[in-house]
Amino acid sequence: YFPVGIRGGIHTPQDKSLHSGKIMRLHDDGSIPSDNPFIDKADVLPEIYTYGHREHQGLTFHPETGVLWSNEHGALGGDELNIIKPGLNYGWPLASYSLNYDGTPVTELTDTLREGMELPVHHWTPAIAPSGLAFVVGDNYPGWDGNVFSGSLVQRMLNRSVIEDNRVIHDEKLLVNIGRVRTVKVGPDGFLYILTEDTGLLVRLLPVS
């Protein structure tokens, strides 16, 4: 699975003959899986798995459920956390919680309630500009089991989201002003690692009593 961000015109994520604003799915030899959702659709790229995205920055499987999650940038606000399901349309730019950078609406709608388009699990306004995505499971971090972590480029911190029934019920800002967090990973030791792009830090988070 790999994402391609928006390229060209704003409406290219809705054009399934283009890679722009899509998540693709391939076998490791480059061939196309026979159960891809658009494999037999005329004028649709068969490698497309989902569409209607703006700019994905994190993509990861939940380590216990196997569900695929992503986060992506809006424009002015409206950054999204999504559960990725085959064949779905995630709305951009026809439905979004985001505004244009000049403050005008992206569309005539003020929310994402449009038939046939998937609502985000969670959205952030003001923008955090998410980058990287990782789940913590187990007891390495007491109280954080099942939480998902997104780096923040614009707010220069690590964001912790508490998940309950696939919904975010709480956000917490961690390591505020550490730098533009580009990558968040859980290492083989089960601890979180983050990488900043402006302050040049590789940080491992360890719990304290």
Side-chain angles (χ1 to χ4, degrees):
Y1 298 78
F2 65 95
V4 175
I6 188 170
R7 301 177 64 191
I10 189 173
H11 288 280
T12 56
Q14 295 296 321
D15 184 345
K16 294 191 289 296
S17 69
L18 302 172
H19 291 118
S20 174
K22 314 297 191 303
I23 292 177
M24 263 66 71
R25 178 178 181 248
L26 298 174
H27 288 301
D28 57 7
D29 64 358
S31 61
I32 298 169
S34 61
D35 59 347
N36 268 12
F38 303 111
I39 190 73
D40 295 322
K41 302 293 184 182
D43 302 320
V44 178
L45 295 173
E47 58 267 34
I48 291 175
Y49 193 71
T50 60
Y51 64 107
H53 302 281
R54 184 175 182 270
E55 193 69 50
H56 340 58
Q57 295 287 325
L59 189 66
T60 191
F61 288 97
H62 191 288
E64 291 182 337
T65 67
V67 172
L68 185 61
W69 292 65
S70 77
N71 58 30
E72 64 179 271
H73 291 189
L76 186 63
D79 298 339
E80 294 184 358
L81 180 67
N82 284 301
I83 292 176
I84 301 301
K85 299 178 182 178
L88 293 187
N89 180 355
Y90 287 81
W92 185 265
L94 302 179
S96 175
Y97 288 102
S98 177
L99 299 175
N100 291 307
Y101 288 114
D102 63 4
T104 59
V106 174
T107 72
E108 295 179 0
L109 296 181
T110 57
D111 58 25
T112 58
L113 298 177
R114 182 176 284 227
E115 185 177 357
M117 297 183 187
E118 187 74 358
L119 285 168
V121 169
H122 187 55
H123 63 95
W124 293 280
T125 299
I128 68 169
S131 185
L133 189 65
F135 281 92
V136 162
V137 296
D139 55 7
N140 269 3
Y141 299 101
W144 286 7
D145 182 32
N147 294 181
V148 65
F149 294 79
S150 303
S152 170
L153 295 169
V154 69
Q155 294 193 23
R156 305 177 78 246
M157 55 89 181
L158 179 65
N159 188 85
R160 178 175 78 97
S161 296
V162 180
I163 306 292
E164 186 176 286
D165 297 326
N166 286 337
R167 311 303 300 177
V168 173
I169 62 171
H170 176 66
D171 278 314
E172 181 184 9
K173 296 180 180 181
L174 304 172
L175 308 177
V176 176
N177 293 324
I178 196 171
R180 286 169 56 86
V181 178
R182 171 57 67 183
T183 301
V184 183
K185 297 286 186 183
V186 176
D189 56 4
F191 292 112
L192 279 166
Y193 290 77
I194 71 167
L195 188 68
T196 66
E197 69 174 27
D198 54 345
T199 52
L201 301 175
L202 174 61
V203 176
R204 181 173 67 158
L205 275 67
L206 297 176
V208 295
S209 56

